[in-house]
């Protein structure tokens, strides 16, 4: 789907456990200026409900599982994250909703910029209008 | 202890769960060029057993708990990480060993540089000699 994709990370497994390294700008396509993790989400909760104007992110479920619903004006898809060696890349102008967090789920997010409230679009109708404009502009190129 | 310290992160708690943001260079004292996470460690395993020459790291246990043994030539301490809003900063020339990983423990590490095998010191006797030189040099300043 537009501006999204799955990344596969190397996972080093031996008798001492598993280690999954992610080198910024090599294993993911941006410098990491912000890291956050979401935990303690009840199974009946859906969160997210926003798009970013310019931010790039990679979402990794490092414990348990979670589902991500992605939307653009004429398409949508759902991804289940349940493998710590997989990352979901989400670029600009993609609406996301996170739900079905399992007991103990930990969703790690790596982001390309520091927090900026002005980069969020939190109204879905406004998002659709802006996204259509973005996609129309890009289809003109 | 020399070149170590605890960091406390803000944790945003509401009815949608907990979100812990870490802004690189603001909430931690370096840019993040590498992220890794350690999982699936059996309870009887100890790992680490190295120092870095120049690397800065922050260790955060985002699920479960783990103990970290820190050593410098004339001091040692043990830290239990069991709170996702706390980070253990470890700077250069500190020996570390990680053990007592709980079932499901996830140890997230944020590092100041990309992977560089030349930055590791993996022999303890060599480490002690190098560390003594480092500390002697610094006490001369």
């Amino acid at each position: 789907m537009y501006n999204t994709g799955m990344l596969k990370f190397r996972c080093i497994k031996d008798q001492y456990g598993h280690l999954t390294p992610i080198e910024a700008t090599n294993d993911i396509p941006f410098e990491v200026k912000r890291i956050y993790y979401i935990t303690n989400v009840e199974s009946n909760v859906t969160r997210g409900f926003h798009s970013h104007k310019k931010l790039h992110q990679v979402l990794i479920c490092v414990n348990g599982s979670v589902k991500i619903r992605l939307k653009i004006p004429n398409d949508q898809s759902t991804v289940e994250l349940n493998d710590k060696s997989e990352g979901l890349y989400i670029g600009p102008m993609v609406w996301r909703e996170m739900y079905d967090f399992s007991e103990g789920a930990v969703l790690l997010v790596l982001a390309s910029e520091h927090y900026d409230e002005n980069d969020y679009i939190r109204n879905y109708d406004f998002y659709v209008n802006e996204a259509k404009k973005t996609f129309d502009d890009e289809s003109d190129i």
Side-chain angles (χ1 to χ4, degrees), chain A:
Chain A
M1 205 175 84
Y2 175 86
N3 263 6
T4 66
M6 293 304 298
L7 304 175
K8 184 72 182 175
F9 305 121
R10 188 168 56 109
C11 180
I12 303 163
K13 299 180 181 180
D14 60 23
Q15 68 267 41
Y16 304 111
H18 299 181
L19 188 154
T20 310
I22 301 172
E23 306 277 347
T25 71
N26 296 341
D27 297 317
I28 60 173
F30 50 80
E31 291 183 8
V32 175
K33 295 192 179 164
R34 184 174 198 242
I35 296 106
Y36 64 90
Y37 32 93
I38 297 171
T39 61
N40 300 75
V41 182
E42 299 289 336
S43 59
N44 62 340
V45 163
T46 302
R47 57 181 295 158
F49 297 107
H50 65 267
S51 164
H52 286 281
K53 297 174 189 168
K54 295 184 176 173
L55 192 71
H56 302 261
Q57 293 186 309
V58 169
L59 284 63
I60 307 155
C61 196
V62 295
N63 199 58
S65 63
V66 60
K67 294 196 181 83
I68 317 290
R69 189 181 296 121
L70 302 164
K71 296 183 184 177
I72 58 172
N74 293 313
D75 197 7
Q76 78 167 49
S77 69
T78 297
V79 176
E80 179 166 356
L81 297 177
N82 57 14
D83 180 342
K84 63 189 183 302
S85 69
E86 283 187 352
L88 170 62
Y89 166 77
I90 308 180
M93 296 307 289
V94 177
W95 188 264
R96 86 283 316 268
E97 300 167 9
M98 291 97 95
Y99 63 105
D100 266 3
F101 285 76
S102 69
E103 176 82 19
V106 179
L107 181 62
L108 173 67
V109 182
L110 311 178
S112 65
E113 301 294 339
H114 286 147
Y115 180 80
D116 176 8
E117 183 59 34
N118 292 323
D119 190 65
Y120 284 74
I121 300 177
R122 298 186 186 275
N123 178 289
Y124 186 68
D125 292 338
F126 182 78
Y127 159 73
V128 170
N129 280 330
E130 291 299 303
K132 282 180 176 170
K133 279 190 265 178
T134 303
F135 298 167
D136 285 349
D137 286 351
E138 292 187 0
S139 66
D140 289 342
I141 295 167

